[in-house]
Amino acid sequence: MSQAIKKEPQGQFTNPETPGYVGFANLPNQVHRKSVKKGFEFTLMVVGESGLGKSTLINSLFLTDLYPERVIPGAAEKIERTVQIEASTVEIEERGVKLRLTVVDTPGYGDAINSQDCFSTIISYIDDQFERYLHDESGLNRRHIVDNRVHCCFYFISPLGHGLKPLDVQFMKAIHNKVNVVPVIAKADTLTLRERERLKRRILDEIEEHGIKIYHLPDAESDEDEDFKEQTRILKASIPFAVVGSNQQIEAKGKKVRGRLYPWGVVEVENPEHNDFLKLRTMLITHMQDLQEVTQDLHYENFRSDRLKRGGRLSSHGYILPLSPVKGPEPEDKDMILQEKEAELRRMQEMIAKMQAQMQKQGDEGDV
Amino acid sequence: IGNPVVGCGGSTLLGYIGIDTIIEQMRKKTMKTGFEFNIMVVGHSGLGKSTLVNTLFKSQVSRKSAGWARDEKIPKTVEIKSVSHVIEEGGVKMKLTVVDTPGFGDQINNDNCWEPISKYINEQFEKFLKEEVNITRKKRIPDTRVHCCIYFISPTGHTLRQLDMEFMKRLSHSVNIIPVIAKADTMTIEERQEFKQRVRKELEMSGIEFYPQKEFDDDMEDKSDNDKIRETMPFAVVGSDKEYQVNNKRVLGRKTAWGIVEVENPNHCEFAQLRDFLIRSHLQDLKEVTHNIHYETYRAKRLNDNGGLHPISTNGTHDSNL
C-alpha cells in the first residue's frame, strides 16, 4: 500500500485510519501507473476528399508534422489512382505519458470522376486490422498483441455544400458498424456563424434521416464535478465540430497565435469563438480511452461474432477459416448448428492440447 | 455622349461630313433593340454560383432568387434550368438569361455528367442555325446561344479535380469558358496565388484554352490587355447579397467573427475584376467570339456532316436530320 498518493481516491475508505480501510481504493492509481509505463496506442483514420485540410488538421491537433516529404499530385497524375491507405506512426510523449499514435490517411478518396467503389479499400483495411487482432487474440503468445485496430475515424465534410453529399452518406453507412465515426466540418473559416449553425443542423438532420450511427459522447457520470459535466454538455451540443487547422504563427492583438492570416482579419485556431478546434481536441483527448473501449466492446465484438458465426476451424496458425465459401445465411436447423459448434469445440480443444504439448517441449527456450 | 465632333480637320476632308455620327446612330439603335446575353454557370453544388450571378448583376437573376429554400435536394441527374430577366441600366435594356446546371458533379458517379450541358449548348447552336438557314428569316434571330460559361473551381488549395479537367477539355471548343475560383475567402492570399499558378500550369499542360483565347486576340493592343487578364485568371471570387457598414460605407460582404470580407474590395478578392472584365469590357467580345468562332465551327461541322443543310420551306418540311 503506497502512501505517497497525490490524487485523492474517491470513496468512503479514503482515510487509512478509518476502520475497515483495506486499500484497494488505490487500485486505480496502480492501473494508472502501469498504463503510463506501458504507454497508449491509438489509431486514428482520416477520410475525406482532397483539399479539405485533413493533413493540416492532424498536424495542428498533435502539434507535429506527420507529412514532412509530402508531394501533392496534379489532376492529370491522379487519373489512374485508386484509394491508397497510408499509415504514419508517431510517438508522442507528454509529461511522462507515451502515446503511440498511428494516423491512417486515405488519399484518393472521392477524387475520381466515378467514386462508386472508392471505399472498398478502406473497409478492407478496417476488417484486416480486426482479422489480425482476432488472430493474435486466438493465438499462442498473447503477451505482445499489437492493437492496430482503427479506434476512431474523422470523416471530413466539405463546408461548401448544403449538407451531406451522396458519397458522405454512403460511406458513413458502410463503416458506422465497424468504427467510431466522428464527422468534422472542415475549413470552417469559409462559413459565417449563421451558415455554420445551419450546416450543422442540416448535417445532423441528414444523419438521423439516413440512420447513420456516429460516435456518441458518453454522458458525464453523476459523480463528476460540475465543470466536467458542463464541458461534456457543450461538447455534445457542438457536434459536428467545425474546425480550422493551422500551424503557422501569426501576430494578432500583440501576441503570437496559431492561425490563418487574411486581409480582413486573423482566424485563430485556438479561439473557441472562431471554430471548434479546441473542442475537437478536448473530445479526442478526454475520450481516447472510451473510443478504444467502444472499438473493443462494440465494433470488434460485432466483427468477431460475425466471423465466428460464419463457421470454420482454427488453422494451425490460429486463423479461423470459413467452412464454406462465402455463402453467408445460417442453416435453419438449430441442431445442425449445435453439432457444428460442438465439432468446432472439439477441434479447438485438440489444437490447444497439441499446442500445449509443443510448449512443454520448448519449455526452457524462454519467451520469444 | 453624342457630341458631334466639330471640325476634324483631316487633310483629306474639306469639311465636316458627319460620318462619325454613325457611332451615335448605332448606339441609339442598340439601345432601342436591347441586348441579349446568355450566361451559363457550372460547378458542383454549394460553390456559390447563384449568389455570384446575383452579385454580378446586382439583381436577383439566378435560378435561386430572393427567398429560395436552401434545403433543396440534389437532383439525381444534371438538369439544365434557365431563367431570363430584363434588366435596365442607363437606358440600355439587357435580356439576361442565366442557365444553371444543378446536379453537375454532385453524384457519386459523375461519368459523362457534362453531356447534358454539351447537348444544351449544341441545341442552341442548332436552333440558331435552323433560323439562319430558313427561306423567310426573322428580322432578328432570337439568340439563345450560350455566350459565356463560368466554371466554378472548388477552392481546395491543391489542384484541379479530374472532373474540372474533363469538363473544360471537352467544352472549351464549343463555348467561352471563364474559370473562377469559388468561395475564395477559404484561402489566404499566399495560398490563392500558389493555387492559381498550379491551376494555370495544369490548364496549359493539358492544352485547355479558356476565354480570352490567345488565338483570337485581334491586335497588339488586345493581346497586351488580354495577357494581363490571362495572368490573373482564374479570378478568385466571393459573392454576397448582404450589406454591411464598413468605414461609413455600405458594402456587400460576408461577416465573420474575425472580420468582414468585402466583395468589391480588390484587396480581399477579385470579384470587381471579374465583373469589370465580364460586363464592362468584354461583354460584346464574348458574344462576337461565340458568333464568329464557336457558332461557325458548329455550322461548318453540320454542313460538312450532312452534305449541306437544306433550307426549310415555310410549311416546315426539312430534309436531313442528325
Side-chain angles (χ1 to χ4, degrees), chain A residues 13-62:
Chain A
F13 306 103
T14 48
N15 191 348
E17 308 306 318
T18 315
Y21 177 70
V22 177
F24 58 78
N26 194 23
L27 195 58
N29 291 337
Q30 298 179 23
V31 172
H32 170 83
R33 260 199 315 249
K34 286 221 167 195
S35 325
V36 167
K37 265 172 71 177
K38 199 169 80 154
F40 294 90
E41 284 173 322
F42 194 80
T43 302
L44 171 68
M45 178 178 263
V46 286
V47 185
E49 288 172 3
S50 267
L52 283 181
K54 302 186 292 291
S55 313
T56 309
L57 185 71
I58 297 300
N59 286 343
S60 309
L61 271 175
F62 300 103

Side-chain angles (χ1 to χ4, degrees), chain B residues 133-299:
Chain B
V133 145
N134 238 332
I135 295 178
T136 17
R137 298 201 286 206
K138 294 203 181 100
K139 185 168 162 192
R140 266 189 77 229
I141 302 178
D143 190 358
T144 57
R145 299 170 298 184
V146 179
H147 300 125
C148 157
C149 171
I150 302 189
Y151 188 78
F152 285 68
I153 297 173
S154 189
T156 61
H158 283 195
T159 59
L160 284 175
R161 308 175 90 224
Q162 282 181 47
L163 182 56
D164 301 339
M165 299 275 272
E166 277 304 307
F167 180 86
M168 286 196 272
K169 217 187 276 189
R170 286 162 191 272
L171 275 106
S172 56
H173 297 292
S174 346
V175 71
N176 296 319
I177 295 189
I178 296 183
V180 297
I181 299 173
K183 296 200 170 175
D185 52 341
T186 320
M187 296 189 281
T188 63
I189 302 291
E190 269 173 38
E191 291 167 348
R192 190 192 292 182
Q193 293 307 110
E194 279 174 20
F195 184 52
K196 274 208 226 184
Q197 265 185 345
R198 250 180 263 136
V199 167
R200 269 202 302 270
K201 204 158 81 137
E202 280 191 313
L203 289 175
E204 202 181 303
M205 291 207 307
S206 302
I208 297 173
E209 275 245 59
F210 50 81
Y211 178 87
Q213 298 92 331
K214 287 204 191 109
E215 43 183 338
F216 308 140
D217 285 339
D218 285 331
D219 50 35
M220 285 312 289
E221 197 189 318
D222 259 4
K223 183 164 162 14
S224 97
D225 285 341
N226 287 345
D227 271 345
K228 273 197 221 108
I229 292 171
R230 284 187 283 259
E231 284 299 298
T232 328
M233 282 174 80
F235 294 117
V237 295
V238 175
S240 171
D241 48 12
K242 294 197 174 61
E243 286 191 333
Y244 295 97
Q245 194 87 2
V246 173
N247 295 336
N248 296 325
K249 278 199 304 159
R250 300 285 296 169
V251 291
L252 284 172
R254 288 170 59 70
K255 183 159 183 202
T256 62
W258 45 89
I260 298 184
V261 187
E262 296 167 49
V263 168
E264 283 167 317
N265 182 338
N267 293 327
H268 287 191
C269 77
E270 292 163 346
F271 170 80
Q273 275 178 285
L274 172 69
R275 179 201 51 208
D276 291 348
F277 164 67
L278 185 62
I279 300 176
R280 295 181 192 176
S281 58
H282 285 66
L283 197 67
Q284 183 58 26
D285 187 60
L286 279 162
K287 294 179 64 170
E288 280 179 15
V289 172
T290 305
H291 181 69
N292 297 333
I293 313 277
H294 298 302
Y295 171 68
E296 286 302 312
T297 310
Y298 178 84
R299 181 175 169 277

